[in-house]
Coordinates of all heavy atoms in Angstrom, one line a residue:
M26 N 6.5 -1.4 8.4 CA 7.0 -1.8 7.1 C 7.4 -0.6 6.3 O 7.9 -0.8 5.2 CB 6.0 -2.7 6.4 CG 5.9 -4.1 6.9 SD 4.9 -5.1 5.9 CE 3.8 -5.7 7.1
G27 N 7.1 0.6 6.7 CA 7.4 1.7 6.0 C 6.5 2.0 4.8 O 6.9 2.7 3.9
L28 N 5.2 1.6 5.0 CA 4.2 1.9 3.9 C 3.2 2.9 4.4 O 2.1 2.9 3.9 CB 3.5 0.6 3.5 CG 4.4 -0.4 2.7 CD1 3.7 -1.7 2.5 CD2 4.8 0.2 1.4
V29 N 3.6 3.7 5.3 CA 2.7 4.8 5.8 C 3.3 6.1 5.4 O 4.5 6.3 5.3 CB 2.4 4.7 7.3 CG1 1.7 3.5 7.7 CG2 3.7 4.8 8.1
P30 N 2.4 7.1 5.1 CA 3.0 8.4 4.8 C 3.6 9.2 6.0 O 3.1 9.0 7.1 CB 1.8 9.2 4.2 CG 0.6 8.5 4.9 CD 1.0 7.1 5.1
S31 N 4.6 9.9 5.8 CA 5.1 10.8 6.8 C 4.2 11.9 7.1 O 3.4 12.3 6.2 CB 6.5 11.3 6.5 OG 6.4 12.0 5.3
D32 N 4.2 12.4 8.3 CA 3.2 13.4 8.7 C 3.8 14.7 9.1 O 4.8 14.7 9.9 CB 2.4 12.8 9.9 CG 1.2 13.6 10.3 OD1 0.6 14.2 9.4 OD2 0.8 13.6 11.4
Y33 N 3.4 15.7 8.5 CA 3.9 17.1 8.9 C 2.7 17.9 9.4 O 1.9 18.4 8.6 CB 4.5 17.8 7.7 CG 5.6 17.0 7.0 CD1 5.4 16.3 5.9 CD2 6.9 16.9 7.6 CE1 6.4 15.6 5.3 CE2 7.9 16.2 7.0 CZ 7.7 15.6 5.8 OH 8.7 14.9 5.3
S34 N 2.4 17.9 10.7 CA 1.3 18.6 11.2 C 1.7 19.7 12.2 O 2.6 19.5 13.0 CB 0.4 17.6 11.9 OG -0.1 16.6 11.0
S35 N 0.9 20.8 12.1 CA 1.1 21.8 13.1 C -0.2 22.6 13.3 O -0.8 23.1 12.3 CB 2.2 22.8 12.5 OG 2.3 23.9 13.4
G36 N -0.7 22.5 14.5 CA -2.0 23.2 14.7 C -3.1 22.5 13.9 O -3.3 21.3 14.0
E37 N -3.8 23.3 13.2 CA -4.9 22.8 12.3 C -4.4 22.3 11.0 O -5.2 21.6 10.3 CB -5.9 24.0 12.1 CG -6.6 24.4 13.4 CD -7.6 25.5 13.2 OE1 -7.9 25.8 12.0 OE2 -8.0 26.1 14.1
T38 N -3.2 22.6 10.6 CA -2.7 22.2 9.3 C -2.2 20.7 9.4 O -1.4 20.4 10.3 CB -1.5 23.1 8.9 OG1 -2.0 24.4 8.9 CG2 -1.1 22.7 7.5
E39 N -2.7 19.9 8.5 CA -2.2 18.5 8.4 C -1.7 18.3 7.0 O -2.4 18.5 6.0 CB -3.4 17.5 8.7 CG -3.7 17.4 10.1 CD -4.7 16.3 10.4 OE1 -4.7 15.3 9.6 OE2 -5.5 16.4 11.3
R40 N -0.5 17.8 6.9 CA 0.1 17.4 5.6 C 0.7 16.1 5.7 O 1.4 15.8 6.7 CB 1.1 18.5 5.1 CG 0.6 19.8 4.7 CD 1.6 20.7 4.2 NE 3.0 20.1 4.1 CZ 4.1 20.8 4.3 NH1 4.0 22.1 4.6 NH2 5.3 20.2 4.2
Q41 N 0.5 15.3 4.6 CA 1.2 14.0 4.6 C 2.2 14.0 3.5 O 1.9 14.5 2.4 CB 0.2 12.9 4.4 CG -0.7 12.7 5.6 CD -1.7 11.5 5.4 OE1 -2.0 11.2 4.3 NE2 -2.1 11.0 6.5
G42 N 3.4 13.4 3.7 CA 4.4 13.4 2.7 C 4.7 12.0 2.1 O 3.8 11.2 2.1
H43 N 5.9 11.8 1.7 CA 6.3 10.6 1.1 C 6.2 9.4 2.1 O 6.1 9.7 3.3 CB 7.7 10.6 0.6 CG 7.9 11.7 -0.4 ND1 7.4 11.6 -1.7 CD2 8.5 12.9 -0.4 CE1 7.7 12.7 -2.4 NE2 8.4 13.5 -1.6
I44 N 6.2 8.2 1.7 CA 6.2 7.1 2.6 C 7.5 7.1 3.4 O 8.5 7.5 3.0 CB 6.0 5.7 1.9 CG1 7.2 5.4 1.0 CG2 4.7 5.6 1.1 CD1 7.2 4.0 0.4
T45 N 7.3 6.6 4.7 CA 8.5 6.6 5.6 C 9.4 5.5 5.1 O 9.0 4.5 4.5 CB 8.0 6.3 7.0 OG1 7.4 5.0 7.1 CG2 7.1 7.4 7.5
K46 N 10.7 5.6 5.5 CA 11.7 4.6 5.2 C 12.0 3.8 6.4 O 12.9 3.1 6.4 CB 13.0 5.3 4.7 CG 12.8 6.1 3.4 CD 12.3 5.3 2.2 CE 12.2 6.1 1.0 NZ 11.4 5.5 0.0
Q47 N 11.1 3.8 7.4 CA 11.2 3.0 8.5 C 10.9 1.5 8.1 O 10.0 1.3 7.3 CB 10.2 3.4 9.6 CG 10.3 4.9 9.9 CD 11.2 5.2 11.1 OE1 11.2 4.4 12.1 NE2 12.0 6.3 11.1
G48 N 11.4 0.6 8.8 CA 11.1 -0.8 8.4 C 12.1 -1.4 7.4 O 13.0 -0.7 7.0
N49 N 11.9 -2.6 7.1 CA 12.8 -3.4 6.3 C 12.6 -3.0 4.8 O 11.5 -3.3 4.3 CB 12.6 -4.9 6.5 CG 13.6 -5.7 5.9 OD1 14.2 -5.4 4.9 ND2 13.9 -6.8 6.6
S50 N 13.6 -2.6 4.1 CA 13.4 -2.2 2.7 C 13.2 -3.4 1.8 O 12.5 -3.3 0.8 CB 14.6 -1.4 2.2 OG 15.8 -2.2 2.3
S51 N 13.7 -4.5 2.2 CA 13.5 -5.8 1.4 C 12.0 -6.2 1.5 O 11.4 -6.6 0.4 CB 14.3 -6.9 1.9 OG 15.7 -6.6 1.8
V52 N 11.4 -6.1 2.6 CA 10.0 -6.4 2.8 C 9.1 -5.5 2.0 O 8.2 -5.8 1.3 CB 9.6 -6.5 4.3 CG1 8.1 -6.7 4.4 CG2 10.3 -7.6 5.0
R53 N 9.5 -4.2 2.1 CA 8.8 -3.2 1.4 C 8.8 -3.4 -0.2 O 7.8 -3.4 -0.8 CB 9.3 -1.8 1.7 CG 8.5 -0.6 1.2 CD 8.9 0.7 1.8 NE 10.3 1.0 1.8 CZ 11.1 1.0 2.9 NH1 10.5 0.8 4.1 NH2 12.4 1.2 2.9
S54 N 10.0 -3.7 -0.7 CA 10.1 -3.9 -2.1 C 9.4 -5.2 -2.5 O 8.8 -5.3 -3.6 CB 11.6 -3.9 -2.6 OG 12.3 -4.9 -2.0
W55 N 9.5 -6.2 -1.6 CA 8.8 -7.5 -1.9 C 7.3 -7.3 -2.0 O 6.6 -7.8 -2.9 CB 9.1 -8.5 -0.8 CG 8.5 -9.8 -0.9 CD1 8.8 -10.8 -1.7 CD2 7.3 -10.2 -0.1 NE1 7.9 -11.9 -1.5 CE2 7.0 -11.5 -0.5 CE3 6.5 -9.6 0.8 CZ2 5.9 -12.2 0.0 CZ3 5.4 -10.3 1.3 CH2 5.1 -11.6 0.9
L56 N 6.7 -6.5 -1.1 CA 5.3 -6.2 -1.1 C 4.9 -5.5 -2.3 O 3.8 -5.7 -2.9 CB 4.9 -5.4 0.2 CG 4.6 -6.2 1.4 CD1 4.4 -5.3 2.6 CD2 3.4 -7.0 1.2
V57 N 5.7 -4.5 -2.8 CA 5.4 -3.8 -4.0 C 5.4 -4.7 -5.2 O 4.5 -4.7 -6.1 CB 6.3 -2.6 -4.2 CG1 6.2 -2.0 -5.5 CG2 6.1 -1.5 -3.1
E58 N 6.4 -5.6 -5.3 CA 6.5 -6.5 -6.4 C 5.3 -7.5 -6.4 O 4.7 -7.8 -7.4 CB 7.8 -7.3 -6.3 CG 9.0 -6.5 -6.7 CD 9.0 -6.0 -8.1 OE1 8.5 -6.7 -9.0 OE2 9.4 -4.9 -8.3
C59 N 4.9 -7.9 -5.2 CA 3.7 -8.8 -5.1 C 2.4 -8.1 -5.4 O 1.5 -8.7 -6.0 CB 3.6 -9.4 -3.7 SG 4.9 -10.6 -3.3
S60 N 2.4 -6.8 -5.2 CA 1.2 -6.0 -5.5 C 1.0 -5.9 -7.0 O -0.1 -5.9 -7.5 CB 1.3 -4.6 -4.9 OG 1.4 -4.7 -3.5
W61 N 2.1 -5.8 -7.7 CA 2.0 -5.7 -9.2 C 1.3 -7.0 -9.7 O 0.5 -7.0 -10.7 CB 3.3 -5.5 -9.9 CG 3.8 -4.1 -9.8 CD1 4.8 -3.6 -9.1 CD2 3.1 -3.0 -10.5 NE1 4.9 -2.2 -9.3 CE2 3.9 -1.8 -10.1 CE3 2.0 -2.8 -11.3 CZ2 3.6 -0.5 -10.6 CZ3 1.7 -1.5 -11.8 CH2 2.5 -0.4 -11.4
M62 N 1.7 -8.2 -9.1 CA 1.1 -9.4 -9.5 C -0.3 -9.6 -9.0 O -1.2 -10.1 -9.7 CB 2.0 -10.6 -9.0 CG 3.3 -10.7 -9.7 SD 3.2 -10.9 -11.5 CE 2.4 -12.5 -11.6
A63 N -0.6 -9.1 -7.8 CA -1.9 -9.3 -7.2 C -3.0 -8.5 -7.9 O -4.1 -9.0 -8.0 CB -1.8 -8.8 -5.7
I64 N -2.7 -7.4 -8.5 CA -3.7 -6.6 -9.2 C -4.2 -7.3 -10.5 O -5.2 -7.0 -11.0 CB -3.3 -5.1 -9.5 CG1 -2.1 -5.1 -10.4 CG2 -3.1 -4.4 -8.2 CD1 -1.7 -3.7 -10.9
K65 N -3.4 -8.3 -10.9 CA -3.8 -9.1 -12.1 C -4.8 -10.1 -11.8 O -5.6 -10.5 -12.6 CB -2.5 -9.8 -12.7 CG -1.5 -8.8 -13.3 CD -0.4 -9.6 -13.9 CE 0.7 -8.6 -14.5 NZ 1.8 -9.3 -15.0
Y66 N -4.8 -10.6 -10.5 CA -5.7 -11.7 -10.1 C -6.8 -11.4 -9.1 O -7.7 -12.1 -9.0 CB -4.8 -12.8 -9.5 CG -3.8 -13.3 -10.5 CD1 -2.4 -13.0 -10.4 CD2 -4.1 -14.1 -11.6 CE1 -1.5 -13.4 -11.3 CE2 -3.2 -14.6 -12.5 CZ -1.9 -14.3 -12.3 OH -1.0 -14.7 -13.2
D67 N -6.6 -10.2 -8.4 CA -7.6 -9.9 -7.4 C -8.4 -8.6 -7.8 O -7.8 -7.5 -7.9 CB -6.9 -9.6 -6.1 CG -7.8 -9.5 -4.9 OD1 -9.0 -9.1 -5.1 OD2 -7.3 -9.7 -3.8
P68 N -9.7 -8.8 -8.1 CA -10.4 -7.6 -8.5 C -10.6 -6.5 -7.5 O -10.6 -5.3 -7.8 CB -11.8 -8.2 -8.9 CG -11.9 -9.5 -8.3 CD -10.5 -10.0 -8.0
V69 N -10.5 -6.8 -6.2 CA -10.6 -5.8 -5.1 C -9.4 -4.9 -5.1 O -9.4 -3.7 -5.1 CB -10.9 -6.4 -3.8 CG1 -10.8 -5.4 -2.7 CG2 -12.2 -7.2 -3.8
L70 N -8.2 -5.6 -5.2 CA -7.0 -4.8 -5.3 C -6.8 -4.0 -6.6 O -6.3 -2.9 -6.6 CB -5.8 -5.8 -5.1 CG -5.6 -6.4 -3.7 CD1 -4.5 -7.4 -3.7 CD2 -5.5 -5.4 -2.6
L71 N -7.4 -4.6 -7.7 CA -7.4 -3.8 -8.9 C -8.2 -2.6 -8.8 O -7.8 -1.5 -9.3 CB -7.8 -4.7 -10.1 CG -7.9 -4.1 -11.5 CD1 -6.5 -3.6 -11.9 CD2 -8.4 -5.1 -12.5
D72 N -9.4 -2.7 -8.2 CA -10.2 -1.5 -8.0 C -9.5 -0.5 -7.1 O -9.6 0.7 -7.4 CB -11.5 -1.9 -7.3 CG -12.5 -2.7 -8.2 OD1 -12.3 -2.6 -9.5 OD2 -13.4 -3.3 -7.7
K73 N -8.8 -0.9 -6.1 CA -8.1 0.0 -5.2 C -7.0 0.8 -6.1 O -6.9 2.0 -6.0 CB -7.4 -0.7 -4.1 CG -6.6 0.1 -3.2 CD -7.4 1.0 -2.3 CE -6.5 1.7 -1.3 NZ -7.3 2.7 -0.5
Y74 N -6.3 0.0 -6.9 CA -5.3 0.6 -7.7 C -5.9 1.6 -8.7 O -5.4 2.7 -8.8 CB -4.6 -0.5 -8.5 CG -3.6 -0.1 -9.5 CD1 -2.3 0.3 -9.1 CD2 -3.9 0.0 -10.9 CE1 -1.4 0.8 -10.0 CE2 -2.9 0.5 -11.8 CZ -1.7 0.8 -11.4 OH -0.7 1.3 -12.2
R75 N -7.0 1.3 -9.3 CA -7.6 2.2 -10.3 C -8.1 3.4 -9.6 O -8.0 4.6 -10.1 CB -8.7 1.5 -11.0 CG -8.2 0.5 -12.0 CD -9.4 -0.2 -12.8 NE -8.9 -1.1 -13.8 CZ -9.6 -2.1 -14.3 NH1 -10.8 -2.3 -13.9 NH2 -9.1 -2.8 -15.2
C76 N -8.7 3.3 -8.4 CA -9.3 4.4 -7.6 C -8.1 5.4 -7.3 O -8.3 6.6 -7.5 CB -10.0 3.9 -6.4 SG -10.7 5.2 -5.4
V77 N -7.1 4.9 -6.7 CA -5.9 5.8 -6.3 C -5.3 6.4 -7.6 O -4.9 7.6 -7.6 CB -4.9 5.0 -5.5 CG1 -3.7 5.9 -5.2 CG2 -5.6 4.5 -4.2
L78 N -5.2 5.6 -8.6 CA -4.6 6.1 -9.9 C -5.4 7.3 -10.4 O -4.9 8.3 -10.9 CB -4.4 5.0 -10.9 CG -3.8 5.3 -12.2 CD1 -2.3 5.8 -12.0 CD2 -3.8 4.1 -13.1
K79 N -6.7 7.1 -10.4 CA -7.6 8.1 -10.9 C -7.5 9.4 -10.0 O -7.5 10.5 -10.6 CB -9.1 7.6 -10.9 CG -10.1 8.6 -11.5 CD -11.5 8.0 -11.5 CE -12.2 8.6 -10.3 NZ -13.6 8.2 -10.2
N80 N -7.4 9.3 -8.7 CA -7.4 10.4 -7.8 C -6.1 11.2 -7.9 O -6.0 12.4 -7.8 CB -7.7 10.0 -6.4 CG -9.2 9.6 -6.2 OD1 -10.0 10.1 -7.0 ND2 -9.5 8.8 -5.3
C81 N -4.9 10.4 -7.9 CA -3.6 11.1 -7.8 C -2.8 11.1 -9.1 O -1.9 11.8 -9.3 CB -2.8 10.6 -6.6 SG -2.2 9.0 -6.9
G82 N -3.2 10.1 -10.0 CA -2.5 10.1 -11.3 C -1.1 9.5 -11.3 O -0.4 9.6 -12.3
S83 N -0.7 8.9 -10.2 CA 0.6 8.3 -10.1 C 0.6 6.8 -9.9 O 0.0 6.3 -9.0 CB 1.4 8.9 -9.0 OG 2.6 8.3 -8.8
K84 N 1.2 6.1 -10.8 CA 1.2 4.6 -10.7 C 2.0 4.2 -9.4 O 1.6 3.2 -8.8 CB 1.9 4.0 -11.9 CG 1.0 4.1 -13.2 CD 1.7 3.4 -14.3 CE 0.9 3.5 -15.6 NZ 1.5 2.9 -16.7
K85 N 3.0 4.9 -9.1 CA 3.8 4.5 -7.9 C 3.0 4.7 -6.6 O 3.0 3.8 -5.8 CB 5.1 5.4 -7.8 CG 6.1 5.0 -8.8 CD 7.3 5.9 -8.7 CE 8.4 5.5 -9.7 NZ 9.6 6.4 -9.5
K86 N 2.2 5.8 -6.5 CA 1.4 6.0 -5.3 C 0.3 4.9 -5.3 O -0.1 4.4 -4.2 CB 0.8 7.4 -5.3 CG 1.8 8.4 -5.0 CD 1.2 9.8 -5.0 CE 2.2 10.9 -4.7 NZ 1.6 12.2 -4.7
A87 N -0.2 4.6 -6.4 CA -1.3 3.6 -6.5 C -0.9 2.2 -6.1 O -1.5 1.5 -5.3 CB -1.9 3.6 -7.9
I88 N 0.3 1.8 -6.5 CA 0.8 0.5 -6.2 C 1.2 0.4 -4.7 O 1.1 -0.6 -4.1 CB 1.9 0.0 -7.1 CG1 1.9 -1.5 -7.2 CG2 3.2 0.5 -6.8 CD1 0.7 -2.2 -7.8
V89 N 1.7 1.5 -4.2 CA 2.0 1.5 -2.7 C 0.8 1.4 -1.9 O 0.7 0.7 -0.9 CB 2.8 2.8 -2.4 CG1 2.9 3.0 -0.8 CG2 4.2 2.7 -3.0
A90 N -0.3 2.0 -2.3 CA -1.6 1.9 -1.7 C -2.1 0.4 -1.7 O -2.6 -0.1 -0.7 CB -2.7 2.8 -2.3
V91 N -1.9 -0.2 -2.8 CA -2.2 -1.7 -3.0 C -1.3 -2.5 -2.1 O -1.8 -3.4 -1.4 CB -2.1 -2.1 -4.4 CG1 -2.3 -3.6 -4.5 CG2 -3.2 -1.4 -5.3
A92 N 0.0 -2.2 -2.0 CA 0.9 -2.9 -1.2 C 0.5 -2.8 0.3 O 0.6 -3.8 1.1 CB 2.3 -2.4 -1.4
R93 N 0.1 -1.6 0.7 CA -0.4 -1.4 2.1 C -1.6 -2.3 2.4 O -1.7 -2.9 3.4 CB -0.6 0.0 2.4 CG -0.9 0.3 3.8 CD -0.9 1.8 4.1 NE -1.1 2.0 5.5 CZ -2.2 2.0 6.2 NH1 -3.3 1.7 5.6 NH2 -2.2 2.2 7.5
K94 N -2.5 -2.3 1.5 CA -3.8 -3.1 1.6 C -3.4 -4.6 1.7 O -4.0 -5.4 2.5 CB -4.7 -2.8 0.5 CG -6.1 -3.5 0.7 CD -7.1 -2.9 -0.3 CE -8.4 -3.5 -0.1 NZ -9.3 -2.5 0.5
L95 N -2.4 -5.0 0.9 CA -2.0 -6.4 0.9 C -1.3 -6.7 2.2 O -1.5 -7.8 2.7 CB -1.0 -6.6 -0.3 CG -0.5 -8.0 -0.5 CD1 -1.7 -9.0 -0.8 CD2 0.4 -8.1 -1.7
A96 N -0.5 -5.8 2.7 CA 0.1 -6.0 4.0 C -0.9 -6.2 5.1 O -0.8 -7.0 6.0 CB 1.1 -4.9 4.3
I97 N -2.0 -5.4 5.1 CA -3.0 -5.5 6.1 C -3.7 -6.9 6.0 O -4.0 -7.5 7.0 CB -4.0 -4.3 5.9 CG1 -3.4 -3.0 6.3 CG2 -5.3 -4.6 6.7 CD1 -4.2 -1.8 5.9
R98 N -3.9 -7.3 4.8 CA -4.5 -8.7 4.6 C -3.7 -9.8 5.1 O -4.1 -10.7 5.8 CB -4.8 -8.9 3.1 CG -6.0 -8.3 2.5 CD -6.1 -8.7 1.1 NE -7.3 -8.2 0.4 CZ -7.7 -8.5 -0.8 NH1 -6.9 -9.3 -1.5 NH2 -8.7 -8.0 -1.3
L99 N -2.4 -9.7 4.8 CA -1.4 -10.7 5.3 C -1.4 -10.7 6.9 O -1.3 -11.7 7.5 CB 0.0 -10.4 4.8 CG 0.1 -10.7 3.3 CD1 1.5 -10.2 2.8 CD2 -0.1 -12.1 2.9
R100 N -1.4 -9.5 7.5 CA -1.4 -9.4 8.9 C -2.7 -10.1 9.5 O -2.6 -10.8 10.5 CB -1.4 -8.0 9.4 CG -1.3 -7.8 10.9 CD -1.2 -6.3 11.2 NE -1.1 -6.1 12.6 CZ -2.1 -6.0 13.5 NH1 -3.3 -6.0 13.0 NH2 -1.9 -5.9 14.8
R101 N -3.8 -9.9 8.9 CA -5.1 -10.5 9.4 C -5.0 -12.0 9.3 O -5.4 -12.7 10.2 CB -6.3 -10.0 8.6 CG -6.8 -8.7 8.9 CD -7.2 -8.4 10.3 NE -7.6 -9.4 11.3 CZ -7.5 -9.3 12.6 NH1 -7.0 -8.1 13.1 NH2 -7.8 -10.2 13.4
I102 N -4.4 -12.5 8.2 CA -4.2 -14.0 8.0 C -3.3 -14.5 9.2 O -3.7 -15.5 9.7 CB -3.6 -14.3 6.6 CG1 -4.7 -14.0 5.6 CG2 -3.2 -15.7 6.6 CD1 -4.1 -14.1 4.2
L103 N -2.3 -13.8 9.5 CA -1.4 -14.3 10.5 C -2.1 -14.2 11.9 O -1.9 -15.2 12.7 CB -0.1 -13.4 10.6 CG 0.9 -13.7 9.5 CD1 2.0 -12.6 9.5 CD2 1.5 -15.1 9.6
L104 N -2.8 -13.2 12.2 CA -3.5 -13.1 13.5 C -4.6 -14.0 13.6 O -4.8 -14.6 14.7 CB -3.9 -11.6 13.7 CG -2.9 -10.6 13.9 CD1 -3.5 -9.2 14.0 CD2 -2.0 -10.9 15.1
D105 N -5.4 -14.2 12.6 CA -6.6 -15.1 12.7 C -6.2 -16.6 12.5 O -6.9 -17.5 12.9 CB -7.6 -14.8 11.6 CG -8.2 -13.4 11.8 OD1 -8.1 -12.9 13.0 OD2 -8.8 -12.9 10.9
G106 N -5.1 -16.9 11.9 CA -4.6 -18.2 11.7 C -5.4 -19.0 10.7 O -5.4 -20.2 10.7
E107 N -6.0 -18.3 9.7 CA -6.8 -19.0 8.7 C -6.5 -18.3 7.3 O -6.2 -17.2 7.3 CB -8.3 -19.0 9.0 CG -8.9 -17.6 9.1 CD -10.3 -17.6 9.5 OE1 -10.6 -18.1 10.6 OE2 -11.1 -17.2 8.7
P108 N -6.6 -19.1 6.3 CA -6.3 -18.5 4.9 C -7.4 -17.6 4.4 O -8.5 -17.7 4.9 CB -6.2 -19.8 4.0 CG -6.8 -20.9 4.8 CD -6.8 -20.5 6.2

């Protein structure tokens, strides 16, 4: 879905860059929009948002982290077949 950081690694050096643009951009923007709504109603996602915001100071990075967590939750629902 393009919600993972790009990786620039060489030897012992590991660096992560911007999120990849691989995957469907509509799905990615849909997840980000849903994440803005989800942090209003889900305390776990709100905690994730606040934690990332405190560490990196960027609202955009924090909401992408929430969108990734939301995508993982949706995947589990699909695989397990239960709400």
Side-chain angles (χ1 to χ4, degrees):
M26 284 187 231
L28 290 173
V29 295
S31 57
D32 190 30
Y33 305 103
S34 300
S35 175
E37 295 179 12
T38 306
E39 283 188 31
R40 287 185 3 213
Q41 292 184 335
H43 300 287
I44 62 170
T45 63
K46 299 300 182 194
Q47 307 265 322
N49 192 328
S50 62
S51 298
V52 173
R53 189 169 44 251
S54 62
W55 177 80
L56 275 170
V57 170
E58 289 297 321
C59 289
S60 297
W61 281 113
M62 292 302 296
I64 61 173
K65 293 179 182 179
Y66 300 105
D67 189 337
V69 175
L70 293 177
L71 180 60
D72 287 343
K73 176 71 174 178
Y74 177 79
R75 287 180 178 161
C76 180
V77 175
L78 183 62
K79 185 178 100 176
N80 289 336
C81 71
S83 171
K84 289 181 180 181
K85 288 182 180 181
K86 287 182 182 180
I88 205 65
V89 168
V91 171
R93 187 168 187 280
K94 189 170 184 104
L95 185 61
I97 292 168
R98 282 184 177 183
L99 292 171
R100 182 177 182 272
R101 282 302 340 153
I102 290 171
L103 287 172
L104 292 177
D105 294 344
E107 60 183 62

